[in-house]
Amino acid sequence: MEIASKYDPSQVEDKWYQYWLTNGFFKSVPDNREPYTIVIPPPNVTGVLHMGHMLNNTIQDILVRRARMMGKNACWVPGTDHASIATEAKVVAKLADEGIQKTDLTREEFLKHAWDWTHKHGGIILEQLKKLGASCDWDRTCFTMDEKRSQSVINVFTDLYNKGKIYRGVRMVNWDPKALTALSDEEVIYQEQQGKLYYLKYKIEGEDGYAIVATTRPETIMGDTAMCINPNDPKNEHLRGKKVIVPLVNRAVPVIEDDYVDIEFGTGCLKVTPAHDVNDYMLGEKYNLPSIDIFNDDGTISEAGEIYIGMDRFDVRKQIVKDLAAAGLLEKEEDYTNKVGFSERTHVPIEPKLSMQWFLRMEELAKPALDAVMDDTIKFYPTKFKNTYRHWMENIKDWCISRQLWWGHRIPAYYLPEGGYVVAETDEMALQMAREKSGNPALTLSDLRQDEDCLDTWFSSWLWPISVFDGINHPDNDDIKYYYPTNDLVTAPEIIFFWVARMIMSGFEYRQQPCFYNVYFTGIVRDKLGRKMSKSLGNSPDPIELMEKYGADGVRMGMLLSSPAGNDLPFDEALCEQGRNFNNKIWNAFRLVKGWKVEDIAQPESSAIAIRWFDAQLSKTIEVINDSFSKYRISEALMEAYKLFWDEFSSWYLELVKPGYEQPMDRQTYQATIGFFDALLRLLHPFMPFITEELWQALAPREDGESIMLASMPQAMALSEKEDAEAYLVAFDICKEIISNIRTVRLQKNIPNKELLELQVLGEHDERFNDAIIKMGNLSAIQSVSEKSPGAVSCLIRTTEYAIPLGNNINIAEEIKKTEDEIRYLEGFLQSVMKKLSNEKFVSNAKPEIVENERKKQADTESKIKTLQESLVQLKMES
């Protein structure tokens, strides 16, 4: 293959992705290998790629590609989520633009529009993931509302209903007045709001006095059915057994007593509105109070409110405050900060509302799911999320699973003409059950009315690890038996309750096993100012544009360079540039190696040293990378591979083996170098799939159908060789330090690289590396001496002094000044160290290793000063 002078991702990425697809490299079927399975967190079907998806799917692809190269049967299942609330809102908005209201349509007509919208806009995100290099088994693509997944949902609903775990009842729910649906507690986001605390006057019936109530919601007084005081509150004793008149409404309500009331809040008098506050609802149940629902579903006042009928709740708040003031029933108002619940999807304040809904009992389901995480059967990375999980699971409430929407899985409950209902998987089964229940064999399907509501979107995605393998409908099929439990889940911590916890519950309920063994929580992608990236803030770059600018490999690397598990990712485009630069570094190194002229000549000793050293270094780094992956420290694994290529292979190994200008390279060194390059490409492939495939294909002759994807991950050397290799690495580090010091002297003294220098050694020295030092330092010789030459510049490495005679290469006056300045600086530094060590408090209280470190600083600095003083004496003698 011809290799271009510059790396151009646009010429490489589509070509190799198509090659992978054509050859079916992403496909997986059960066989005798160890399976490795990941299910994609399904993005919204009509969504487009954002930076969070980029991070999440890059990590998944790295894990899958690595597993594949480790000989496992890797299966990454892609798919999308029908996203009830979000999709229905988009369809309603689109219809409104066309002058059509949802209420003008039948359910079937609306669903036709919704499916048309889904077919038109759905699946874009999956095509975008291909640009990223995602190696999913696309033949397995699932949709939460496709036939198999839909049947799974209906089967699970009927099963749980028959087990007594699903029930229907009137409860206080979180109502979204914009989406016109109930929400689960997890779909409510609490935000601090600057509001007002209004002090309202409730006249005491039959007396001239008033009871003062502090409330943030004066617009709900039309629903008041009691006032509550604390029985232990002496200041409100006079209200016991009395009634008060609700302002403006003029309805007499009883004063009840309960120690739930906070004596310190406001005046200690609480208005009780059972239909519109969770805690008031509980008081209402306890004291058998009537409940007046004053709100329509859209947040306007209903006829039950008697006044302000048809007005929006927030407009009523403004108006009622004016009316109360005009009537002399508003004592005062104060600024007040409180937490208000907002709909996670529509961002409007939710309304606590009594509503007939379907619920799933959670306590029994939660227990095995809690135990599995707490005993590390399922491991969380980072572990800090275990506490978050435990707190929620120990305080779990029943899940409101019904939604007042049409787009989604319709609840399979059928109401009988005379009352009551049946739950069944199909219309035919429902009719049969209805005939049996009613005792009326003449009933027809048209006599039954199916529940209008659909199920919460999460009620389908909680089954995802099972349903993608059709394990609900066919629990003994080959796929579910082979691929389940899955291995890893990569997801965001904000859906730990919505999705992760519920999947774990479904896994134990339907397979009696965990649904995965490891959960890797990514951080939130933020901008440089620390703000979460979002469309509304306009601070999120378009991932497709980023990939066009920096290449997919560059962006993948940029996402990972600052993305430790569970910590937020401060994204900076400069990281993608760093990724692109690394691509260029690999490309240029490849062109250098392939440009060498190879001949059958003797191998230089410096090359033999380099090969032995890099072999040991490669093995050590492989072990570190393996360890990082075992702890899900994926960014750290990438950094190890990055440093190995950039710092060790390019800066040291290639420089050591590089032949002189227009000189040939020996075949033995060339073959070793190609072997190392091959190993490095395989090590980097999971992180950077495109450039590594392009170069691996060009590295050696390949057959059609070969791919780096199918090559084995490089292995660390055997344990028997490890000890010698580690000792060699330690010794070579000294060699590198010597070379670095020679380079520093050249730099400081402005001595050109082409000028030969001599190196004098005073003390012990490992001569095995002399050829490498001579080549890299451009030396004429390395001499062991008892005394260094006058005017030589020296340095101390461990306990050995290395000196470079400078002859006519230096300005002695300048050197004397520089040496004196350095001695002065080191003496000041030594003084600060000695000050610490002479402080008894520091020595006795500090950790032993800190004190030891200070003593080491003292010894090293004293040694350096001594060496510099000797050099100064020599310089002065020469001047």
Side-chain angles (χ1 to χ4, degrees):
M1 277 177 63
E2 279 295 313
I3 286 292
S5 59
K6 284 187 177 176
Y7 178 54
D8 181 358
S10 66
Q11 299 296 309
V12 168
E13 292 172 358
D14 289 348
K15 172 182 74 175
W16 290 118
Y17 200 86
Q18 191 53 54
Y19 177 76
W20 296 330
L21 286 176
T22 304
N23 284 281
F25 294 150
F26 304 158
K27 289 182 183 178
S28 174
V29 291
D31 61 22
N32 57 7
R33 289 175 293 167
E34 178 189 342
Y36 175 84
T37 319
I38 288 188
V39 293
I40 202 170
N44 287 2
V45 64
T46 58
V48 292
L49 205 60
H50 59 58
M51 297 304 283
H53 294 133
M54 290 285 283
L55 174 62
N56 185 298
N57 288 285
T58 294
I59 291 166
Q60 288 177 83
D61 194 47
I62 288 166
L63 294 171
V64 168
R65 286 179 181 272
R66 180 175 163 83
R68 208 177 271 124
M69 294 177 76
M70 293 180 85
K72 296 175 185 176
N73 186 352
C75 179
W76 182 12
V77 183
T80 51
D81 186 275
H82 65 277
S84 288
I85 296 177
T87 306
E88 182 148 327
K90 284 178 182 174
V91 176
V92 168
K94 176 227 173 215
L95 290 171
D97 289 343
E98 296 168 6
I100 305 169
Q101 295 302 309
K102 180 185 171 185
T103 49
D104 299 336
L105 301 172
T106 64
R107 186 187 195 106
E108 288 66 32
E109 286 168 340
F110 178 81
L111 287 175
K112 185 180 182 307
H113 284 285
W115 277 110
D116 287 346
W117 173 270
T118 301
H119 293 315
K120 183 178 177 184
H121 299 280
I124 292 171
I125 192 164
L126 299 184
E127 289 305 310
Q128 291 177 320
L129 284 176
K130 293 176 182 178
K131 291 282 182 196
L132 182 66
S135 58
C136 303
D137 184 346
W138 298 109
D139 292 346
R140 291 182 176 271
T141 303
C142 299
F143 175 44
T144 50
M145 271 179 65
D146 66 25
E147 194 177 335
K148 287 179 181 175
R149 265 45 66 180
S150 295
Q151 190 58 52
S152 302
V153 168
I154 300 306
N155 287 357
V156 164
F157 183 96
T158 54
D159 176 64
L160 293 171
Y161 175 78
N162 291 332
K163 288 173 177 171
K165 291 180 179 178
I166 284 178
Y167 63 93
R168 184 172 180 258
V170 175
R171 297 287 186 278
M172 180 67 69
V173 297
N174 307 297
W175 186 262
D176 182 333
K178 187 173 179 184
L180 301 179
T181 183
L183 304 175
S184 67
D185 290 344
E186 292 71 46
E187 291 167 295
V188 179
I189 310 297
Y190 286 90
Q191 298 173 9
E192 279 202 349
Q193 296 285 299
Q194 301 300 320
K196 296 279 186 185
L197 195 59
Y198 302 94
Y199 288 77
L200 314 185
K201 295 163 80 172
Y202 286 61
K203 191 173 190 312
I204 304 167
E205 190 177 56
E207 297 181 18
D208 291 335
Y210 289 87
I212 309 298
V213 171
T215 180
T216 57
R217 301 205 62 195
E219 68 276 14
T220 63
I221 62 171
M222 296 86 80
D224 289 0
T225 56
M227 175 183 282
C228 192
I229 58 171
N230 192 309
N232 305 309
D233 183 2
K235 67 180 181 295
N236 286 316
E237 269 181 359
H238 65 289
L239 296 172
R240 277 184 179 166
K242 295 181 179 175
K243 289 188 173 184
V244 293
I245 310 296
V246 179
L248 301 183
V249 183
N250 297 322
R251 178 169 60 245
V253 297
V255 175
I256 60 172
E257 296 176 55
D258 195 283
D259 55 13
Y260 160 73
V261 177
D262 182 356
I263 296 170
E264 303 301 320
F265 179 79
T267 60
C269 294
L270 177 80
K271 66 191 272 314
V272 182
T273 320
H276 299 294
D277 181 274
V278 176
N279 299 309
D280 292 7
Y281 171 68
M282 287 158 65
L283 285 171
E285 292 278 284
K286 189 172 179 180
Y287 295 100
N288 201 24
L289 299 172
S291 183
I292 304 168
D293 186 350
I294 66 162
F295 288 123
N296 294 315
D297 287 350
D298 62 358
T300 57
I301 303 297
S302 69
E303 291 191 6
E306 299 181 26
I307 51 178
Y308 310 111
I309 295 164
M311 282 180 69
D312 179 77
R313 53 189 172 150
F314 296 116
D315 294 336
V316 173
R317 184 180 297 179
K318 291 174 192 168
Q319 187 58 47
I320 204 168
V321 169
K322 291 177 187 173
D323 295 346
L324 286 163
L329 298 172
L330 177 67
E331 180 163 282
K332 62 176 178 175
E333 53 185 88
E334 295 173 347
D335 288 335
Y336 186 70
T337 303
N338 68 331
K339 286 199 168 179
V340 176
F342 283 77
S343 164
E344 188 227 5
R345 285 287 175 197
T346 61
H347 312 295
V348 299
I350 60 107
E351 197 58 63
K353 182 178 170 67
L354 277 176
S355 181
M356 178 68 79
Q357 301 289 343
W358 291 89
F359 295 87
L360 174 59
R361 300 183 202 279
M362 298 297 275
E363 196 173 343
E364 197 181 318
L365 287 168
K367 189 176 185 322
L370 173 59
D371 293 344
V373 171
M374 298 322 291
D375 68 15
D376 282 341
T377 300
I378 296 172
K379 292 188 173 73
F380 280 5
Y381 298 90
T383 54
K384 65 181 180 183
F385 290 110
K386 279 175 74 171
N387 283 335
T388 312
Y389 180 86
R390 179 180 54 79
H391 178 75
W392 185 73
M393 293 292 266
E394 287 177 348
N395 297 281
I396 200 160
K397 294 186 177 74
D398 288 356
W399 176 10
C400 175
I401 56 174
S402 47
R403 296 291 178 272
Q404 287 61 56
L405 300 165
W406 283 349
W407 176 246
H409 300 101
R410 192 172 181 179
I411 290 174
Y414 299 79
Y415 299 95
L416 280 61
E418 304 85 15
Y421 61 87
V422 294
V423 169
E425 290 172 24
T426 64
D427 293 353
E428 293 72 24
M429 289 169 75
L431 181 58
Q432 186 184 336
M433 290 170 72
R435 284 172 176 167
E436 290 169 8
K437 185 167 186 172
S438 65
N440 179 2
L443 273 181
T444 64
L445 201 55
S446 60
D447 294 324
L448 303 183
R449 179 179 61 83
Q450 188 176 350
D451 198 303
E452 289 290 319
D453 290 353
C454 74
L455 287 158
D456 180 6
T457 300
W458 298 104
F459 195 83
S460 53
S461 48
W462 81 314
L463 306 173
W464 192 244
I466 306 173
S467 66
V468 295
F469 299 114
D470 205 19
I472 298 291
N473 305 322
H474 300 97
D476 294 317
N477 77 71
D478 289 344
D479 275 4
I480 193 77
K481 287 197 291 187
Y482 179 75
Y483 293 113
Y484 187 96
T486 69
N487 296 75
D488 298 328
L489 177 76
V490 181
T491 190
E494 57 261 43
I495 55 173
I496 190 170
F497 310 130
F498 285 134
W499 195 44
V500 180
R502 290 168 179 165
M503 280 192 289
I504 296 172
M505 289 184 224
S506 77
F508 284 104
E509 179 68 14
Y510 286 101
R511 302 294 302 177
Q512 294 74 53
Q513 285 178 292
C515 46
F516 31 69
Y517 290 113
N518 303 290
V519 183
Y520 177 101
F521 290 106
T522 63
I524 294 168
V525 185
R526 298 189 181 276
D527 65 12
K528 285 188 277 188
L529 301 175
R531 300 174 303 173
K532 185 176 177 179
M533 286 192 167
S534 69
K535 272 191 236 168
S536 54
L537 284 174
N539 63 344
S540 180
D542 180 339
I544 300 297
E545 287 177 11
L546 277 178
M547 287 190 281
E548 284 169 357
K549 187 173 180 183
Y550 299 106
D553 289 337
V555 177
R556 285 168 69 112
M557 191 172 165
M559 295 299 296
L560 281 169
L561 279 173
S562 60
S563 177
N567 290 327
D568 289 353
L569 163 63
F571 181 75
D572 186 340
E573 208 170 303
L575 295 169
C576 295
E577 195 172 345
Q578 191 178 339
R580 181 178 63 187
N581 292 345
F582 186 45
N583 276 280
N584 291 337
K585 182 79 171 177
I586 297 168
W587 191 263
N588 291 335
F590 184 84
R591 290 185 68 241
L592 172 73
V593 170
K594 292 300 270 186
W596 287 333
K597 184 182 171 189
V598 183
E599 290 183 7
D600 292 313
I601 54 175
Q603 182 186 53
E605 181 57 27
S606 56
S607 294
I609 293 166
I611 291 165
R612 185 177 173 191
W613 160 71
F614 191 76
D615 193 36
Q617 186 64 56
L618 175 64
S619 177
K620 181 186 175 185
T621 306
I622 288 168
E623 286 190 340
V624 174
I625 288 172
N626 290 345
D627 182 62
S628 294
F629 269 105
S630 74
K631 294 168 181 168
Y632 291 81
R633 293 178 176 166
I634 296 168
S635 293
E636 290 177 27
L638 169 61
M639 278 312 297
E640 288 298 329
Y642 174 88
K643 287 188 290 187
L644 177 67
F645 193 97
W646 194 296
D647 298 342
E648 309 295 358
F649 185 69
S650 294
S651 300
W652 285 100
Y653 177 81
L654 290 182
E655 290 299 314
L656 268 164
V657 301
K658 187 167 69 176
Y661 181 65
E662 291 192 344
Q663 296 297 306
M665 168 169 274
D666 68 282
R667 195 169 300 283
Q668 195 178 345
T669 301
Y670 181 75
Q671 293 299 343
T673 305
I674 292 295
F676 288 144
F677 218 120
D678 189 297
L680 288 165
L681 290 175
R682 285 181 283 136
L683 208 54
L684 286 165
H685 176 74
F687 305 104
M688 310 168 78
F690 293 108
I691 191 170
T692 51
E693 182 74 86
E694 175 78 1
L695 295 180
W696 188 85
Q697 294 284 349
L699 195 62
R702 308 287 181 198
E703 297 293 325
D704 188 42
E706 279 193 273
S707 171
I708 191 170
M709 274 183 64
L710 309 179
S712 295
M713 190 56 67
Q715 302 293 309
M717 57 179 56
L719 204 61
S720 56
E721 302 171 287
K722 197 174 158 186
E723 199 175 321
D724 283 349
E726 284 179 354
Y728 199 80
L729 284 174
V730 171
F732 192 81
D733 277 345
I734 295 172
C735 167
K736 284 163 84 174
E737 214 174 318
I738 295 165
I739 294 163
S740 296
N741 273 287
I742 295 166
R743 288 171 170 174
T744 302
V745 169
R746 284 189 183 275
L747 195 66
Q748 288 176 343
K749 314 302 180 193
N750 294 319
I751 302 169
N753 285 329
K754 63 183 180 185
E755 283 195 26
L756 291 169
L757 294 174
E758 183 192 328
L759 184 67
Q760 297 177 339
V761 183
L762 290 86
E764 286 184 13
H765 170 68
D766 192 338
E767 294 185 352
R768 288 179 298 168
F769 302 106
N770 279 5
D771 283 277
I773 297 167
I774 287 168
K775 177 171 182 178
M776 296 291 275
N778 195 18
L779 304 176
S780 56
I782 298 175
Q783 303 282 346
S784 279
V785 295
S786 55
E787 198 176 307
K788 63 189 173 189
S789 300
V793 175
S794 65
C795 65
L796 200 65
I797 297 174
R798 309 296 187 272
T799 55
T800 303
E801 187 177 354
Y802 291 89
I804 299 171
L806 293 175
N808 299 322
N809 285 319
I810 59 161
N811 180 321
I812 290 177
E814 268 183 29
E815 279 307 305
I816 289 171
K817 184 177 183 309
K818 263 167 83 180
T819 308
E820 286 174 340
D821 287 347
E822 199 170 342
I823 290 169
R824 265 195 298 278
Y825 167 76
L826 288 171
E827 284 173 341
F829 178 73
L830 181 62
Q831 208 172 355
S832 69
V833 173
M834 296 304 293
K835 197 173 176 183
K836 271 189 190 176
L837 290 171
S838 60
N839 182 337
E840 283 180 28
K841 208 170 178 183
F842 168 78
V843 174
S844 55
N845 292 336
K847 288 181 181 175
E849 59 267 29
I850 292 174
V851 176
E852 187 52 40
N853 191 39
E854 291 300 317
R855 292 203 170 109
K856 188 176 180 305
K857 282 183 194 174
Q858 176 194 349
D860 288 350
T861 308
E862 285 172 345
S863 176
K864 283 178 184 174
I865 290 171
K866 183 172 179 288
T867 303
L868 285 167
Q869 284 171 336
E870 287 173 2
S871 294
L872 189 62
V873 169
Q874 290 288 345
L875 285 165
K876 285 182 175 176
M877 282 170 63
E878 287 180 31
S879 67

